[in-house]
Amino acid sequence: MTLDQPTLERLAEHLETCQLQAQDTPKITDDHPEMDWEDAYAVQDLILARKRARGARIVGYKCGLTSHAKMKQMGVEEPVFGFLVDEYAVSEGASIRCDALIHPKVEPEIAFVLKHELAGPGCHVGAVLAATDFVLPGIEVIDSRYRDFKFDLKSVIADNTSAARFVVGGQACAPQAIDLRTCGVVLEKNGLPVALGAGAAVLGHPAAAVAALANHLGRRGQKIPAGALILSGGVTEAVAVAPGDHVCLRIQDMGHVSLRFV
Ligand code: OOG
Ligand code: MG
C-alpha cells in the first residue's frame, strides 16, 4: 500500500459520486502515480462499503479483460475483478436510461451461478464446473467513469472495473450440457449482428475466468459464496449504445436475452 486511508476514502467517494451523478473524470493514477494493486482493490472495497452502508446487497462478482478482444480494445494485458450489487441488476427486456450513465457499452458474457462455494488458491476449471449450478447468457453494461474510457489497470480496478448494469436471462443450462468453449455467441444491435465469438475467447474456457476470480479472492482471504452470480467477462469487444438501441445476445443452446436503451 502506498496511499493513506483518507486518500483511499476520498478516491472511493470521488469515483462513486461520478458513477451516481453520471460524470466523467480523468483517471486517478494521473494524480496518484505511486498507487499500487492493493491500493486499487482497497478503493474498490471502499466503494462497496459505501454502497453496503446504504443497504446495497452483493449479488456476485465480475471478471473483466478476460478475452484478447477486450485486452486489445482497452490496451491492457491482465484480467481484473469487480463486485456486482443489486443496484446494477436489471430485468430481462428492461429499458435502461442513458441519462443515468456516461458512455455505456454492452458486452456479451456467459454468467455462472454457483451451488457450492469456491475457494482459491488452487481453484481450476474442474472445480468451477463441479461447483456450478447453471450457466446462462448475460449482457453487461459497462460505463467507465474515466473520460473517453481511457484508463490503466489500477484506475479501472479502483472504479470497480466499469461495472454499471447487467441482465441475465435466456435458458439456464447445466454446465455439462454445453460445450462452453465452442458455443457460438452473437450480439445483435437493432437486429444486426455487431459482434461474434465463441466461449473459448474467454481465457480458453469461461470457467477459467471464474477459477481466476476464486484464486484472486483467495489471495485476499475471501471465497466466492454458494449462490453467487459471476460474469466471466466479455467474449468480444464492447459495443457502444445510445438511446433508441435494442440489444439482444444469443448464445448457442442457451437462448437469448435483451435490453433496450432510452
Ligand atoms: C473494463 C471492464 C471490462 C469485461 O468483461 O472485459 C469488462 C472496461 O473495459 O471498461 O467488464
Ligand atoms: Mg464485462
Side-chain angles (χ1 to χ4, degrees):
M1 300 278 275
T2 66
L3 303 181
D4 59 19
Q5 193 63 18
T7 305
L8 295 170
E9 277 169 20
R10 194 171 43 72
L11 289 170
E13 180 183 4
H14 173 61
L15 287 171
E16 204 212 2
T17 303
C18 286
Q19 181 224 321
L20 296 174
Q21 301 186 350
Q23 276 169 1
D24 67 6
T25 178
K27 66 181 193 306
I28 57 175
T29 46
D30 290 354
D31 282 341
H32 300 281
E34 73 283 19
M35 195 170 126
D36 67 16
W37 302 105
E38 266 183 81
D39 293 321
Y41 279 107
V43 172
Q44 187 191 107
D45 287 348
L46 288 168
I47 293 175
L48 175 58
R50 294 174 64 83
K51 292 189 180 298
R52 276 189 158 140
R54 288 197 308 270
R57 308 239 344 220
I58 187 155
V59 296
Y61 296 90
K62 57 166 288 188
C63 312
L65 309 173
T66 47
S67 71
H68 289 293
K70 276 292 307 187
M71 290 188 199
K72 189 168 164 228
Q73 181 179 35
M74 304 321 299
V76 295
E77 279 169 12
E78 263 178 79
V80 292
F81 306 99
F83 62 81
L84 298 174
V85 280
D86 47 358
E87 70 184 52
Y88 301 156
V90 300
S91 48
E92 176 144 19
S95 293
I96 293 188
R97 291 185 62 106
C98 290
D99 61 5
L101 300 169
I102 304 163
H103 41 201
K105 294 184 187 180
V106 289
E107 300 182 319
E109 307 214 7
I110 295 173
F112 288 68
V113 175
L114 300 188
K115 58 185 172 196
H116 303 303
E117 69 174 28
L118 272 176
C123 187
H124 51 80
V125 169
V128 173
L129 294 176
T132 298
D133 196 353
F134 54 88
V135 292
L136 75 178
I139 301 173
E140 184 180 24
V141 182
I142 53 168
D143 192 39
S144 176
R145 268 53 69 169
Y146 299 120
R147 201 151 295 157
D148 303 321
F149 263 89
K150 294 222 165 68
F151 51 68
D152 49 26
L153 278 175
K154 289 170 189 159
S155 294
V156 74
I157 288 166
D159 184 31
N160 193 25
T161 66
S162 312
R165 303 280 187 276
F166 70 91
V167 63
V168 293
Q171 182 75 49
C173 299
Q176 313 86 280
I178 295 223
D179 186 339
L180 287 168
R181 294 163 304 165
T182 56
C183 63
V185 174
V186 180
L187 183 68
E188 295 173 357
K189 186 163 95 170
N190 305 323
L192 296 174
V194 287
L196 309 171
V202 174
L203 297 179
H205 192 303
V210 180
L213 168 70
N215 291 330
H216 159 76
L217 290 176
R219 283 191 289 276
R220 311 187 78 225
Q222 298 169 25
K223 296 173 182 172
I224 316 179
L229 176 109
I230 301 131
L231 294 176
S232 57
V235 172
T236 69
E237 72 280 11
V239 174
V241 286
D245 284 341
H246 178 263
V247 172
C248 179
L249 168 63
R250 299 178 195 280
I251 303 187
Q252 190 174 7
D253 300 327
M254 291 166 71
H256 66 273
V257 61
S258 62
L259 278 181
R260 191 173 291 284
F261 291 85
V262 294

